Every structure is written in C-alpha cells, then in structure tokens.
Amino acid sequence: MSKPIGQAAISVKDELETAKLAELLGGMSAPGTIIALDGDLGAGKTTFSQYFAKAIGVNGVVNSPTFTIIKEYEGAAMPFYHMDVYRLSMEEADELGLDDYFYGNGATIVEWASLIEELLPPERLDIYIEHEGEAGRRFRLTGIGEPYAAWCTALNEIGAGKSDDRN
C-alpha cells in the first residue's frame, strides 16, 4: 500500500508571513515530527527553523547548527532537534545515530536534508524554499505519509498559496 502524498505551494511576502507559516506547522506538530528542509542558499531555512522552534515553545536563541551539526532545545510542547547536514558526507551522517532523533520524542528539522535523503524516515514533510523577489519566498511542501499529507491538504484548504497553484 502506498503512502498518501500531499502538496502545497505557499508564497510569502516577508519574514512575518514566514513566521506565520512556521507557527501553523508548529501547531500541527507532535513528538516524532520530521521536517526535511532544503532550498536556495540564503532562502531562510534557519529563519524558518527559528520560528518553528518558537511555535513549539522553545525559549531563547535558536541559531544555525552549521558547525555543530545538531542542536537540541527543550520546548514547552516537546524537544526540538535542529540539524544542518550541509558539511557531512553520507557516511558521516550515518554514523551520527540520527534515528535516535528521528524516532524520538521531539520535533526534528534537518537543513539540507536532500544530502542525506536515504537516511531520512520514509514519512516526513519535505519543504523547499526559493527566493521570490527581495523579501518574498516560495515554500513548496510535500507531505509523505500521514500526518504530513493531511497538513498539506489543510494548508490548501485555508487558502495558503492560492495566489499560484503551480506544484
């Protein structure tokens, strides 16, 4: 039986709208949530991650895990695991024991996730962020399995991304 797949495309005009999207997704999250984040260089992967962390109750500064690879934060709703695998080889990533995070009791965002796609859980939310003008961004979401396919359906139903329905 194949996994349900959902898609949504959302354009935001500024950082405030990015924060609103992250807040929506944070509100849908539960322990075990996996978000695989990719996108243009400087498109706002870490900014999105910071707003997501805030949405699940992480207090304090959430900064890029570029050089530490994985940062762990306590959130009011659940722990938050923030990863940046840009500088890792597949072999190095495989040795990190990422399954402990992926199948743990927190929400995980992996920046540059496509670099370790074979190691990611089969059910997850893939997000690709593109530049769209100076401050605008386009978020392309693909929900693989439940609940992620349902998240995309919900985003489409509330009108997120209705200005352009390209997928």
Side-chain angles (χ1 to χ4, degrees):
M1 187 169 146
S2 65
K3 293 176 182 57
I5 295 178
Q7 292 187 316
I10 300 162
S11 290
V12 301
K13 66 178 186 257
D14 56 27
E15 194 173 313
L16 180 61
E17 289 186 358
T18 295
K20 288 179 183 176
L21 175 59
E23 187 175 307
L24 274 171
L25 292 173
M28 295 176 186
S29 296
T33 291
I34 305 293
I35 297 177
L37 200 54
D38 279 287
D40 297 341
L41 194 60
K45 291 177 289 298
T46 299
T47 299
F48 173 85
S49 299
Q50 290 166 332
Y51 286 119
F52 179 89
K54 185 176 179 183
I56 64 168
V58 174
N59 293 317
V61 177
V62 172
N63 47 32
S64 175
T66 300
F67 295 103
T68 55
I69 313 302
I70 302 170
K71 290 192 175 183
E72 299 179 25
Y73 301 90
E74 279 305 314
M78 68 195 92
F80 175 55
Y81 309 126
H82 188 197
M83 304 177 185
D84 183 327
V85 297
Y86 185 75
R87 288 174 168 70
L88 291 181
S89 68
M90 180 65 72
E91 295 76 26
E92 291 168 326
D94 195 28
E95 292 171 4
L96 284 176
L98 298 178
D99 282 355
D100 293 341
Y101 295 98
F102 295 155
Y103 299 102
N105 61 349
T108 303
I109 289 182
V110 182
E111 294 187 29
W112 301 103
S114 62
L115 297 174
I116 62 162
E117 188 166 358
E118 302 95 72
L119 300 177
L120 295 172
E123 296 188 357
R124 62 186 185 267
L125 181 66
D126 290 345
I127 301 176
Y128 191 89
I129 308 172
E130 302 171 295
H131 291 280
E132 197 170 70
E134 192 168 313
R137 300 292 185 264
R138 182 158 183 83
F139 289 78
R140 296 184 186 277
L141 297 87
T142 302
I144 306 166
E146 291 300 341
Y148 309 107
W151 293 7
C152 291
T153 300
L155 289 170
N156 287 324
E157 286 174 357
I158 62 172
K162 287 290 189 207
S163 62
D164 182 357
D165 49 309
R166 290 177 295 165
N167 282 320

